[in-house]
């Protein structure tokens, strides 16, 4: 508006230079100045039509979620509010699980699972127009959440839901009686009268105005000069205590060695070799369980004698189960409650039968939409592990943006330990298997989501040799134990300080290949990075690939 007045003023001033339009221009100038004065001293006091302002009917409810206007609609039946289930899962509490097989909504607590069915006598879950809605009061039972209803005659009904506890927000106090308006000008319609001393949350700033959320559930604009200086606020909830999924724990620093064993006939001999090499591990994770099919069945190489020997030498055994090598239909398995229950029972019974201490889950190659089913399986498995005193851990990827679908935060809440796979950094083209920056990022970012006492960083005993072909780059695994001899034949091997490893080219089977070597110096560099953080420990993929001299470095780390 000011810009338009300035343009009009320029026109009037030009007309004043022309005698023919002198008096007309003076009249125009007077009118323009009068309009400016009126704009300054006479604010518009019209009251806003709040139904039009919020875009709702008398039957609908305006919803605010934390500091924002929500884009979902709620139902109100028999005096109770219902939220769309998919909205609750996406924005409020992802543990409400929609079980496709039983058409029930499940909520797995540490000791038991609550179950809700659509339109039953409880009234918790209703289905309207093909959409499932869950009672807000029930969501509150399981969530750090509070809500307020504003149901004032002549105004749209409003519902304010708050879940952002612990997050910093900006608030202030109204310094003098003033108006909350629909726009950032005096011509904005009046929404409410705000009294001195009222607290408001600041959502954004626009010129001389602040866009705020008021105590009585309205959003609008207030002049800055009518507000005190803003301050940071952190809201807390003292009425809700989240149930702890805690279970069996390991005392001291973990040093875990993955032990690749796919046949029970030689597992014990392999363990004896590790003991003779004085491997500095205190937990073994033998690869004994391999899923197949879709019913929760798996092939097993479990050997009670291996477990007994490990225990005799002060080592725990966490059996690894994986879904990649025997044709497991992971999607069908995880989406079926029957199959999940079968797998939980089979797993825990097999662990008990051989006397092992724990389970290590290595589920990979999952699409984002399968992860909620995976997390539900973990919650259900954790219940059984708590009852049977079994350690539960999982392996997952470094938390780069493309891996966050695995929900590292939720894994850190449910599991006893989360093992971050600090390798396979370079996969499609030449590069280090695990450089310093990769490990540093993996530690720092993981600690933002996973408690330090649950976080284990896995490091590699292998690297890859890269060769360029007509179809792109090929890669071949090279063990740490072989890197020393390969470096002797590498004429251009140089230490890369930034990456934390040697880099060079070697000829293997007549083909020149590029390698970022993994050796004692690179392992020392990675352990130094990990030592800069407070973690539960380290893990290594895999035993038998290492230069045995590495164990002195590991002993120094875990002592």
């Amino acid at each position: 508006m000011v810009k338009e007045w300035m343009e009009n003023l320029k026109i009037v001033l030009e007309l004043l230079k022309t005698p023919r339009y002198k008096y007309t221009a003076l009249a125009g100038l007077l009118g323009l100045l009068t309009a400016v004065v009126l704009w300054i001293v006479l604010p518009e006091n019209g009251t806003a039509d709040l139904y039009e302002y919020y875009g709702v009917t008398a039957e609908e409810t305006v919803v605010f979620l934390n500091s924002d206007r929500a884009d979902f609609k709620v139902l109100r039946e028999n005096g109770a509010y219902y939220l769309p289930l998919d909205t609750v899962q996406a924005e409020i509490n992802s543990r409400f699980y929609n079980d496709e097989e039983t058409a029930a909504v499940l909520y797995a607590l540490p000791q038991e699972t609550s179950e809700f069915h659509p339109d039953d006598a409880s009234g918790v879950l209703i289905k309207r127009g093909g959409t499932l809605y869950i009672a807000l009061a029930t969501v509150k039972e399981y969530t750090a959440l509070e809500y307020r209803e504003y149901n004032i005659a002549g105004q749209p009904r409003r519902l304010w839901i708050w879940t952002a506890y612990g997050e910093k927000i900006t608030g202030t106090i109204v310094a003098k009686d003033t108006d909350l308006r629909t726009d950032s000008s005096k011509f904005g319609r009046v929404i409410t009268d705000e009294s001195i001393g009222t607290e408001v949350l600041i959502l954004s700033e626009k010129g001389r105005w602040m866009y705020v959320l008021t105590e009585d559930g309205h959003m609008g604009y207030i002049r800055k000069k009518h507000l005190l200086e803003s301050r940071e606020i952190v809201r807390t909830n003292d009425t809700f205590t989240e149930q702890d999924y805690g279970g069996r724990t390991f005392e001291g620093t973990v040093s875990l060695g993955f032990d690749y064993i796919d046949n029970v006939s030689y597992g014990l001999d392999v363990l004896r070799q590790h003991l003779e090499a004085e491997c500095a591990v205190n937990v073994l994770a033998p690869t004994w369980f391999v899923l197949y099919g879709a019913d929760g069945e798996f092939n097993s190489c479990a050997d009670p004698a291996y477990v007994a020997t490990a225990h005799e030498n002060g080592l725990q055994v966490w059996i690894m189960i994986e879904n990649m090598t025997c044709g497991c239909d992971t999607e069908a398995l995880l989406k079926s409650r029957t199959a999940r229950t079968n797998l939980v029972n089979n797993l825990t019974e097999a662990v008990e039968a051989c006397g092992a201490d724990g389970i290590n889950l290595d589920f990979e190659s999952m699409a984002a939409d399968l992860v909620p089913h995976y997390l539900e399986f973990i919650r259900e498995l954790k219940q059984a592990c708590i009852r049977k005193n079994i350690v539960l851990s999982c392996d997952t990827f470094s938390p780069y943006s493309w891996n966050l679908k695995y929900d590292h935060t939720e894994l850190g809440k449910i599991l006893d330990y989360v093992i971050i796979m600090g390798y396979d950094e370079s996969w499609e083209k030449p590069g280090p298997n695990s450089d310093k920056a990769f490990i540093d990022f993996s530690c720092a970012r993981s600690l933002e989501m996973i408690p330090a006492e649950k976080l284990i960083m896995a490091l590699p005993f292998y690297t890859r040799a890269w060769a360029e072909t007509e179809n792109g780059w090929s890669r071949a695994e090279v063990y740490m134990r072989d890197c020393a001899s390969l470096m002797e034949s590498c004429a251009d091997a140089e230490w890369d300080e930034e990456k934390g490893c040697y880099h060079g080219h070697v000829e293997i089977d007549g083909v020149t290949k590029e390698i970022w070597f993994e050796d004692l110096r690179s392992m020392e560099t990675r352990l130094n990075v990990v030592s800069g953080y407070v973690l539960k420990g380290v893990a290594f993929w895999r035993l038998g690939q290492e230069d045995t001299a590495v164990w002195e470095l590991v002993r120094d780390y875990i002592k």
Side-chain angles (χ1 to χ4, degrees):
M1 184 175 291
V2 174
K3 185 178 180 180
E4 293 175 3
W5 285 341
M6 293 301 295
E7 294 295 330
N8 290 334
L9 180 59
K10 290 179 183 179
I11 295 172
V12 170
L13 292 175
E14 289 297 322
L15 290 175
L16 283 172
K17 298 176 183 178
T18 307
R20 179 180 176 184
Y21 297 107
K22 181 177 181 180
Y23 294 105
T24 304
L26 285 171
L29 180 60
L30 181 61
L32 185 61
L33 292 174
T34 301
V36 171
V37 171
L38 290 174
W39 181 78
I40 293 173
V41 302
L42 296 176
E44 170 62 56
N45 288 318
T47 301
D49 181 332
L50 296 183
Y51 292 98
E52 179 182 348
Y53 174 61
Y54 288 116
V56 295
T57 66
E59 289 73 34
E60 295 176 320
T61 302
V62 181
V63 183
F64 301 109
L65 180 59
N66 298 320
S67 299
D68 297 306
R69 170 77 184 273
D71 58 2
F72 59 87
K73 293 187 176 181
V74 300
L75 298 182
R76 191 170 187 269
E77 295 190 5
N78 300 319
Y81 283 103
Y82 290 83
L83 307 184
L85 177 64
D86 57 356
T87 296
V88 171
Q89 294 167 326
E91 301 187 42
I92 298 176
N93 188 334
S94 62
R95 290 183 185 171
F96 284 98
Y97 175 74
N98 194 2
D99 188 68
E100 299 176 5
E101 184 178 82
T102 61
V105 171
L106 310 178
Y107 198 95
L109 296 164
Q111 304 296 336
E112 60 185 2
T113 297
S114 300
E115 187 169 339
F116 312 104
H117 292 268
D119 299 312
D120 65 8
S122 71
V124 169
L125 193 66
I126 60 176
K127 193 169 189 177
R128 300 290 183 267
T131 299
L132 283 174
Y133 292 83
I134 188 165
L136 177 55
T138 299
V139 177
K140 186 176 185 298
E141 288 181 30
Y142 298 91
T143 312
L145 173 154
E146 62 180 304
Y147 61 90
R148 301 177 192 170
E149 179 189 23
Y150 304 94
N151 198 357
I152 302 171
Q155 294 186 6
R157 188 170 55 242
R158 299 179 304 286
L159 179 66
W160 184 20
I161 303 171
W162 192 269
T163 62
Y165 298 105
E167 297 180 12
K168 292 181 179 178
I169 54 177
T170 305
T172 187
I173 303 295
V174 175
K176 63 174 293 186
D177 293 347
T178 187
D179 297 322
L180 181 75
R181 294 182 176 271
T182 60
D183 200 2
S184 56
S185 79
K186 289 187 175 183
F187 291 98
R189 296 282 179 168
V190 175
I191 300 171
T192 61
D193 299 321
E194 294 299 318
S195 302
I196 184 172
T198 303
E199 185 177 45
V200 297
L201 298 181
I202 297 175
L203 308 180
S204 62
E205 184 175 342
K206 188 175 181 181
R208 298 180 179 181
W209 297 76
M210 290 290 194
Y211 190 53
V212 304
L213 176 62
T214 67
E215 287 182 346
D216 57 350
H218 281 297
M219 281 185 173
Y221 290 90
I222 291 181
R223 288 288 293 268
K224 283 184 188 177
K225 66 181 183 180
H226 296 163
L227 300 173
L228 296 179
E229 186 175 349
S230 62
R231 67 188 192 284
E232 285 189 342
I233 300 172
V234 178
R235 297 175 65 89
T236 58
N237 188 321
D238 299 325
T239 63
F240 177 82
T241 302
E242 186 173 354
Q243 293 198 33
D244 185 9
Y245 284 84
R248 181 174 173 181
T249 57
F250 184 94
E251 292 188 12
T253 302
V254 168
S255 174
L256 180 148
F258 289 101
D259 202 7
Y260 186 77
I261 301 172
D262 59 4
N263 192 313
V264 69
S265 65
Y266 63 80
L268 190 56
D269 290 336
V270 170
L271 173 58
R272 288 172 178 146
Q273 292 172 18
H274 299 329
L275 296 173
E276 289 173 4
E278 297 183 340
C279 295
V281 296
N282 44 37
V283 178
L284 293 165
T287 60
W288 282 346
F289 297 160
V290 182
L291 283 160
Y292 65 87
D295 299 321
E297 305 293 334
F298 51 86
N299 294 321
S300 173
C301 304
D303 182 1
Y306 177 108
V307 176
T309 302
H311 286 171
E312 289 169 5
N313 287 272
L315 309 178
Q316 287 195 13
V317 178
W318 302 354
I319 304 174
M320 192 183 92
I321 180 167
E322 56 100 338
N323 67 325
M324 295 167 287
T325 58
C326 278
C328 173
D329 187 341
T330 307
E331 180 175 357
L333 166 64
L334 295 178
K335 286 185 175 181
S336 166
R337 190 177 184 185
T338 300
R340 292 196 309 271
T341 301
N342 190 39
L343 178 54
V344 167
N345 293 336
N346 289 343
L347 261 177
T348 53
E349 289 172 5
V351 169
E352 285 186 310
C354 69
D357 307 276
I359 298 168
N360 174 253
L361 303 174
D362 189 29
F363 282 49
E364 300 184 28
S365 302
M366 290 185 290
D369 60 0
L370 189 56
V371 172
H373 305 282
Y374 173 56
L375 294 174
E376 178 63 15
F377 161 66
I378 290 177
R379 286 187 283 264
E380 293 168 353
L381 176 58
K382 186 60 190 295
Q383 292 174 344
C385 287
I386 291 172
R387 291 193 296 269
K388 296 174 180 286
N389 197 30
I390 295 172
V391 176
L392 183 59
S393 67
C394 88
D395 313 320
T396 195
F397 300 96
S398 178
Y400 284 90
S401 57
W402 52 89
N403 291 328
L404 294 180
K405 65 182 180 181
Y406 289 100
D407 199 342
H408 295 67
T409 300
E410 182 70 353
L411 292 174
K413 290 179 179 179
I414 304 170
L415 293 163
D416 297 313
Y417 302 106
V418 180
I419 302 173
I420 300 296
M421 295 184 287
Y423 33 78
D424 292 344
E425 176 187 0
S426 303
W427 187 253
E428 296 180 343
K429 60 183 180 181
N433 188 30
S434 174
D435 72 14
K436 283 197 301 186
F438 179 68
I439 296 300
D440 188 60
F441 171 85
S442 299
C443 291
R445 185 73 177 96
S446 296
L447 282 170
E448 294 175 8
M449 298 175 282
I450 301 166
E453 64 272 17
K454 292 187 174 189
L455 182 59
I456 298 171
M457 183 58 56
L459 303 174
F461 282 158
Y462 70 97
T463 186
R464 289 191 171 88
W466 300 85
E468 192 168 14
T469 70
E470 294 180 356
N471 299 318
W473 289 95
S474 69
R475 59 182 182 269
E477 200 167 271
V478 176
Y479 298 163
M480 176 191 283
R481 70 188 186 207
D482 299 321
C483 280
S485 60
L486 285 174
M487 285 180 64
E488 291 177 0
S489 62
C490 180
D492 63 347
E494 290 186 355
W495 177 258
D496 188 325
E497 185 62 35
E498 180 183 356
K499 304 298 184 185
C501 58
Y502 285 99
H503 170 249
H505 298 78
V506 296
E507 187 172 298
I508 301 176
D509 298 329
V511 178
T512 300
K513 297 191 176 185
E514 187 173 6
I515 300 182
W516 280 260
F517 294 93
E518 291 294 341
D519 66 347
L520 293 180
R521 187 174 178 185
S522 69
M523 179 57 70
E524 183 176 24
T525 300
R526 280 138 190 70
L527 284 172
N528 286 339
V529 172
V530 175
S531 297
Y533 297 91
V534 179
L535 309 182
K536 182 61 179 177
V538 289
F540 305 97
W541 182 270
R542 62 179 171 85
L543 298 180
Q545 296 179 344
E546 76 277 10
D547 178 341
T548 55
V550 77
W551 295 120
E552 287 304 315
L553 299 175
V554 177
R555 265 185 276 274
D556 287 340
Y557 170 79
I558 64 175
K559 67 181 181 181

